[in-house]
Amino acid sequence: MKEDSPPPTLEEALQRIEALVAEMESGKLGLEEILNRFEEGSRLAKFCREKLEAAERRVEIITKEGSIPSGISEFNTEAG
């Protein structure tokens, strides 16, 4: 994964943020390395925030319109 490009999923971004925090808290990094990881973490946090805001807007639209996205039925009619 390139440092400049966000990961493809929210979950991967959150995992990377956790790894960055652990590295910064380890006490093994110099100031410049800490700053680089902080910058990457800030970019990832923005990516996550945008993904979550998009999901929230989608939920609001579904709730407001009372519609259900295609491919999802309101009630599962299959016996399982």
Side-chain angles (χ1 to χ4, degrees):
M1 164 176 41
K2 274 183 67 179
E3 189 174 301
D4 293 339
S5 62
T9 68
L10 175 69
E11 292 79 10
E12 290 173 350
L14 292 172
Q15 288 175 350
R16 180 62 184 150
I17 290 171
E18 288 176 7
L20 290 168
V21 169
E23 289 175 15
M24 289 188 293
E25 290 178 340
S26 72
K28 298 177 183 177
L29 302 176
L31 179 60
E32 193 61 34
E33 294 169 310
I34 290 172
L35 290 173
N36 289 337
R37 281 159 181 80
F38 182 81
E39 288 176 13
E40 182 182 354
S42 294
R43 285 191 300 272
L44 289 169
K46 180 181 181 215
F47 169 82
C48 291
R49 189 171 37 257
E50 290 169 353
K51 286 283 197 182
L52 291 171
E53 287 171 354
E56 184 178 343
R57 284 190 301 274
R58 191 170 168 192
V59 168
E60 287 174 359
I61 289 169
I62 293 168
T63 303
K64 218 180 256 188
E65 295 177 359
S67 64
I68 298 172
S70 61
I72 300 174
S73 63
E74 187 171 2
F75 300 101
N76 185 359
T77 57
E78 295 178 16

